[in-house]
Amino acid sequence: MSSSPISILSQTDFNGDPLDPELLRRTFGQLMEEHGYVLMVNVPDDFDQVKFCRSLGAFVPNYTGAVVGDVRPEPGMDDVYHAGNTRPLTPHTEGYDFTVVPPRYIALWCVAPASGPGGETTLADTAPWVAALSDDERKYLLDTEFEWKTTEGVNRLGLDLHTKHPILEEHDDGLIVRFSCNNLKRAEDDPVVPVQQRWRDAFYDHQIAVDYHRNDMLVWNNWRLLHARNAFTDRSRHLRRIQVAG
Ligand SMILES: [Fe+2]
Protein backbone atom coordinates (compact mmCIF):
# COMPACT_ATOMS: atom_id res chain seq x y z
CA MET A 1 0.00 0.00 0.00
CA SER A 2 1.28 3.46 -0.81
CA SER A 3 -0.02 6.98 -1.28
CA SER A 4 1.03 9.95 -3.37
CA PRO A 5 3.57 12.45 -2.07
CA ILE A 6 2.05 15.67 -0.72
CA SER A 7 5.22 17.73 -0.28
CA ILE A 8 5.49 18.89 -3.90
CA LEU A 9 7.18 22.08 -5.07
CA SER A 10 6.66 23.44 -8.58
CA GLN A 11 9.64 25.28 -10.06
CA THR A 12 7.22 27.27 -12.21
CA ASP A 13 4.54 29.60 -10.84
CA PHE A 14 0.82 29.81 -11.68
CA ASN A 15 1.70 31.67 -14.91
CA GLY A 16 4.16 29.01 -15.97
CA ASP A 17 7.09 31.36 -15.33
CA PRO A 18 10.16 30.27 -13.31
CA LEU A 19 9.64 30.67 -9.56
CA ASP A 20 11.87 33.33 -7.99
CA PRO A 21 14.99 31.46 -6.75
CA GLU A 22 14.73 32.98 -3.26
CA LEU A 23 11.07 31.96 -2.99
CA LEU A 24 11.99 28.48 -4.26
CA ARG A 25 14.61 28.09 -1.51
CA ARG A 26 12.24 29.40 1.17
CA THR A 27 9.32 27.16 0.21
CA PHE A 28 11.72 24.22 -0.12
CA GLY A 29 12.93 24.83 3.45
CA GLN A 30 9.38 25.08 4.82
CA LEU A 31 8.25 21.88 3.08
CA MET A 32 11.41 20.03 4.14
CA GLU A 33 10.89 21.06 7.77
CA GLU A 34 7.25 19.99 7.72
CA HIS A 35 7.46 16.70 5.80
CA GLY A 36 11.13 15.70 5.73
CA TYR A 37 11.11 15.47 1.93
CA VAL A 38 10.37 17.63 -1.10
CA LEU A 39 9.51 16.50 -4.62
CA MET A 40 10.36 19.26 -7.11
CA VAL A 41 8.33 19.15 -10.33
CA ASN A 42 8.11 21.30 -13.47
CA VAL A 43 11.88 21.39 -13.41
CA PRO A 44 13.40 23.08 -16.48
CA ASP A 45 16.13 21.37 -18.49
CA ASP A 46 18.67 24.01 -17.43
CA PHE A 47 18.11 23.59 -13.66
CA ASP A 48 21.48 23.32 -11.91
CA GLN A 49 20.94 20.44 -9.47
CA VAL A 50 24.55 20.54 -8.26
CA LYS A 51 24.32 24.23 -7.37
CA PHE A 52 21.02 23.69 -5.58
CA CYS A 53 22.45 20.81 -3.54
CA ARG A 54 25.54 22.86 -2.68
CA SER A 55 23.19 25.41 -1.07
CA LEU A 56 22.05 22.65 1.34
CA GLY A 57 25.53 21.74 2.59
CA ALA A 58 28.81 20.04 1.76
CA PHE A 59 28.85 17.13 -0.66
CA VAL A 60 29.44 13.60 0.59
CA PRO A 61 30.94 11.51 -2.25
CA ASN A 62 29.22 8.33 -3.41
CA TYR A 63 30.99 4.97 -2.92
CA THR A 64 32.95 5.36 -6.15
CA GLY A 65 34.16 8.85 -5.27
CA ALA A 66 31.81 10.43 -7.80
CA VAL A 67 29.96 13.34 -6.20
CA VAL A 68 27.13 12.97 -8.71
CA GLY A 69 26.36 9.26 -8.83
CA ASP A 70 24.34 7.38 -11.44
CA VAL A 71 21.58 5.04 -10.36
CA ARG A 72 20.84 2.71 -13.25
CA PRO A 73 21.13 -1.01 -13.97
CA GLU A 74 24.80 -1.93 -14.14
CA PRO A 75 26.22 -4.95 -15.97
CA GLY A 76 26.89 -8.02 -13.80
CA MET A 77 24.95 -6.72 -10.79
CA ASP A 78 21.57 -8.39 -11.24
CA ASP A 79 22.19 -11.16 -8.71
CA VAL A 80 22.94 -9.01 -5.66
CA TYR A 81 21.15 -6.57 -3.36
CA HIS A 82 22.19 -3.32 -5.01
CA ALA A 83 20.76 0.00 -6.25
CA GLY A 84 22.42 -0.65 -9.63
CA ASN A 85 19.92 -3.25 -10.85
CA THR A 86 16.14 -3.51 -11.32
CA ARG A 87 15.29 -5.30 -8.08
CA PRO A 88 13.45 -3.93 -5.05
CA LEU A 89 15.32 -2.30 -2.17
CA THR A 90 14.04 -2.75 1.38
CA PRO A 91 13.55 0.22 3.76
CA HIS A 92 16.84 1.75 4.91
CA THR A 93 18.73 4.90 5.62
CA GLU A 94 21.85 5.82 3.72
CA GLY A 95 25.31 5.84 5.26
CA TYR A 96 25.07 3.46 8.26
CA ASP A 97 28.25 1.95 6.80
CA PHE A 98 30.15 5.27 7.06
CA THR A 99 32.27 5.85 10.14
CA VAL A 100 31.11 9.50 10.13
CA VAL A 101 27.52 10.66 10.59
CA PRO A 102 25.27 9.74 7.65
CA PRO A 103 24.46 12.30 4.95
CA ARG A 104 21.69 14.60 6.12
CA TYR A 105 20.09 14.91 2.69
CA ILE A 106 19.84 12.63 -0.32
CA ALA A 107 18.86 14.11 -3.69
CA LEU A 108 17.72 11.97 -6.61
CA TRP A 109 16.70 13.38 -9.95
CA CYS A 110 15.30 11.70 -12.98
CA VAL A 111 17.24 11.60 -16.24
CA ALA A 112 15.07 8.87 -17.76
CA PRO A 113 11.92 7.54 -16.06
CA ALA A 114 11.09 3.84 -16.13
CA SER A 115 8.37 3.02 -18.63
CA GLY A 116 5.98 0.34 -17.46
CA PRO A 117 5.23 -0.46 -13.85
CA GLY A 118 7.55 0.02 -10.88
CA GLY A 119 10.70 2.00 -10.21
CA GLU A 120 9.14 4.31 -7.63
CA THR A 121 11.28 5.62 -4.77
CA THR A 122 9.28 5.06 -1.59
CA LEU A 123 9.64 7.04 1.64
CA ALA A 124 8.25 7.02 5.17
CA ASP A 125 8.83 9.27 8.18
CA THR A 126 10.28 7.60 11.29
CA ALA A 127 9.38 10.54 13.58
CA PRO A 128 6.03 9.05 14.76
CA TRP A 129 7.60 5.61 15.22
CA VAL A 130 10.43 7.04 17.31
CA ALA A 131 7.88 8.97 19.38
CA ALA A 132 5.94 5.73 19.97
CA LEU A 133 8.94 3.78 21.33
CA SER A 134 8.75 2.73 24.95
CA ASP A 135 11.33 4.32 27.26
CA ASP A 136 13.22 1.01 27.43
CA GLU A 137 13.27 0.62 23.67
CA ARG A 138 14.42 4.17 23.12
CA LYS A 139 17.24 3.74 25.62
CA TYR A 140 18.25 0.45 24.00
CA LEU A 141 18.37 2.00 20.52
CA LEU A 142 20.36 5.00 21.81
CA ASP A 143 22.82 3.05 23.96
CA THR A 144 23.52 -0.09 21.92
CA GLU A 145 26.36 0.00 19.41
CA PHE A 146 25.32 -2.36 16.63
CA GLU A 147 27.58 -3.74 13.95
CA TRP A 148 26.64 -2.78 10.40
CA LYS A 149 27.93 -4.12 7.13
CA THR A 150 27.59 -2.76 3.65
CA THR A 151 25.47 -4.15 0.81
CA GLU A 152 26.46 -7.06 -1.44
CA GLY A 153 26.57 -4.69 -4.39
CA VAL A 154 29.02 -2.35 -2.68
CA ASN A 155 31.10 -5.40 -1.62
CA ARG A 156 31.35 -6.31 -5.29
CA LEU A 157 32.69 -2.83 -6.04
CA GLY A 158 35.57 -3.81 -3.77
CA LEU A 159 34.49 -2.04 -0.57
CA ASP A 160 34.00 -4.15 2.54
CA LEU A 161 32.73 -1.68 5.11
CA HIS A 162 32.07 -2.49 8.76
CA THR A 163 30.94 0.08 11.31
CA LYS A 164 29.56 0.25 14.83
CA HIS A 165 26.76 2.73 15.53
CA PRO A 166 23.57 2.93 17.54
CA ILE A 167 20.25 3.05 15.68
CA LEU A 168 19.36 6.36 17.34
CA GLU A 169 22.01 9.03 17.92
CA GLU A 170 21.48 12.45 19.46
CA HIS A 171 23.23 15.14 17.41
CA ASP A 172 23.37 18.92 17.85
CA ASP A 173 21.35 19.27 14.63
CA GLY A 174 18.71 16.67 15.55
CA LEU A 175 18.18 12.97 16.07
CA ILE A 176 19.94 10.61 13.63
CA VAL A 177 18.13 7.39 12.72
CA ARG A 178 20.09 4.54 11.12
CA PHE A 179 18.16 1.59 9.73
CA SER A 180 18.54 -1.46 7.54
CA CYS A 181 16.49 -4.64 7.14
CA ASN A 182 19.46 -6.74 6.01
CA ASN A 183 22.77 -5.08 6.94
CA LEU A 184 22.30 -4.64 10.69
CA LYS A 185 24.11 -7.53 12.37
CA ARG A 186 22.18 -8.92 15.33
CA ALA A 187 21.20 -12.22 16.90
CA GLU A 188 17.72 -13.55 16.23
CA ASP A 189 16.75 -12.96 19.86
CA ASP A 190 18.11 -9.40 20.04
CA PRO A 191 15.51 -6.93 21.42
CA VAL A 192 16.01 -4.86 18.24
CA VAL A 193 14.39 -7.58 16.09
CA PRO A 194 10.76 -6.72 16.98
CA VAL A 195 11.48 -3.00 16.49
CA GLN A 196 13.02 -3.74 13.09
CA GLN A 197 9.96 -5.81 12.12
CA ARG A 198 7.54 -3.13 13.39
CA TRP A 199 9.29 -0.32 11.50
CA ARG A 200 9.47 -2.41 8.34
CA ASP A 201 5.72 -3.12 8.54
CA ALA A 202 5.01 0.55 9.34
CA PHE A 203 7.05 1.57 6.31
CA TYR A 204 4.92 -0.51 3.94
CA ASP A 205 1.73 0.71 5.64
CA HIS A 206 2.59 4.42 5.43
CA GLN A 207 4.98 4.82 2.48
CA ILE A 208 4.58 7.45 -0.18
CA ALA A 209 5.66 6.42 -3.68
CA VAL A 210 7.41 8.83 -6.01
CA ASP A 211 6.73 8.02 -9.66
CA TYR A 212 9.25 10.14 -11.52
CA HIS A 213 8.72 12.27 -14.58
CA ARG A 214 11.83 13.45 -16.42
CA ASN A 215 13.75 16.14 -14.44
CA ASP A 216 11.74 15.58 -11.24
CA MET A 217 14.04 15.97 -8.24
CA LEU A 218 13.40 14.34 -4.86
CA VAL A 219 15.30 15.47 -1.76
CA TRP A 220 14.79 13.95 1.68
CA ASN A 221 16.13 14.17 5.20
CA ASN A 222 18.07 10.92 5.56
CA TRP A 223 18.35 11.33 9.34
CA ARG A 224 14.56 11.14 9.64
CA LEU A 225 13.03 9.21 6.72
CA LEU A 226 13.54 5.67 5.49
CA HIS A 227 13.59 5.01 1.76
CA ALA A 228 13.21 1.98 -0.47
CA ARG A 229 12.55 1.17 -4.11
CA ASN A 230 10.00 -0.83 -6.05
CA ALA A 231 11.28 -3.27 -8.67
CA PHE A 232 11.00 -2.28 -12.31
CA THR A 233 11.61 -3.78 -15.75
CA ASP A 234 12.76 -0.90 -17.97
CA ARG A 235 16.58 -1.01 -17.94
CA SER A 236 16.80 2.50 -19.37
CA ARG A 237 15.59 3.98 -16.03
CA HIS A 238 18.28 6.46 -14.96
CA LEU A 239 18.49 8.66 -11.89
CA ARG A 240 21.36 10.80 -10.64
CA ARG A 241 22.15 11.20 -6.98
CA ILE A 242 23.95 13.56 -4.61
CA GLN A 243 24.51 13.13 -0.87
CA VAL A 244 24.75 16.25 1.27
CA ALA A 245 26.26 16.46 4.74
CA GLY A 246 23.83 19.22 5.76
FE1 LIG B 1 19.45 3.93 -0.59
Side-chain angles (χ1 to χ4, degrees):
M1 190 177 77
S2 66
S3 51
S4 299
I6 59 170
S7 180
I8 305 171
L9 174 57
S10 173
Q11 288 211 4
T12 54
D13 69 10
F14 36 80
N15 289 322
D17 296 325
L19 204 66
D20 171 70
E22 182 48 40
L23 183 56
L24 181 82
R25 280 288 297 126
R26 193 161 70 236
T27 306
F28 179 92
Q30 288 166 347
L31 289 171
M32 181 61 76
E33 179 67 28
E34 175 78 18
H35 302 283
Y37 72 92
V38 181
L39 174 63
M40 284 197 281
V41 301
N42 299 327
V43 179
D45 284 340
D46 62 357
F47 178 59
D48 190 336
Q49 295 94 349
V50 175
K51 184 177 176 189
F52 185 86
C53 288
R54 192 183 293 123
S55 76
L56 299 176
F59 296 136
V60 178
N62 288 282
Y63 290 108
T64 62
V67 166
V68 181
D70 290 295
V71 183
R72 58 186 162 191
E74 298 162 8
M77 287 293 200
D78 287 344
D79 60 326
V80 287
Y81 179 87
H82 183 50
N85 60 34
T86 62
R87 294 166 62 167
L89 297 173
T90 53
H92 63 284
T93 58
E94 219 57 48
Y96 50 74
D97 49 354
F98 302 172
T99 56
V100 297
V101 296
R104 183 82 184 262
Y105 300 108
I106 308 292
L108 287 176
W109 68 91
C110 179
V111 178
S115 62
E120 300 88 355
T121 298
T122 50
L123 296 169
D125 189 357
T126 64
W129 315 339
V130 171
L133 291 169
S134 70
D135 290 347
D136 286 349
E137 285 173 332
R138 185 183 172 87
K139 184 169 165 44
Y140 188 71
L141 299 187
L142 281 165
D143 292 350
T144 311
E145 295 261 328
F146 292 97
E147 285 184 54
W148 306 77
K149 61 187 176 71
T150 197
T151 63
E152 296 167 291
V154 174
N155 283 159
R156 194 168 285 181
L157 297 175
L159 295 170
D160 189 18
L161 307 177
H162 295 271
T163 52
K164 288 190 88 169
H165 297 292
I167 289 179
L168 299 181
E169 182 181 346
E170 309 271 15
H171 186 278
D172 290 346
D173 297 324
L175 184 71
I176 297 172
V177 175
R178 293 182 177 87
F179 189 81
S180 169
C181 296
N182 49 2
N183 293 316
L184 171 68
K185 296 168 80 171
R186 81 290 187 275
E188 285 305 317
D189 60 350
D190 193 293
V192 76
V193 171
V195 177
Q196 224 177 355
Q197 189 59 48
R198 203 159 77 224
W199 285 15
R200 185 192 166 107
D201 292 347
F203 183 91
Y204 291 115
D205 284 346
H206 298 288
Q207 64 184 343
I208 60 118
V210 174
D211 187 12
Y212 297 100
H213 293 79
R214 197 175 69 86
N215 290 353
D216 283 355
M217 180 163 161
L218 174 66
V219 186
W220 71 90
N221 181 340
N222 179 57
W223 288 7
R224 173 175 157 191
L225 270 63
L226 308 188
H227 67 284
R229 177 182 73 196
N230 293 336
F232 57 99
T233 55
D234 178 5
R235 298 187 70 87
S236 65
R237 177 187 186 265
H238 183 193
L239 308 181
R240 288 207 165 101
R241 123 194 243 291
I242 287 180
Q243 308 182 125
V244 179

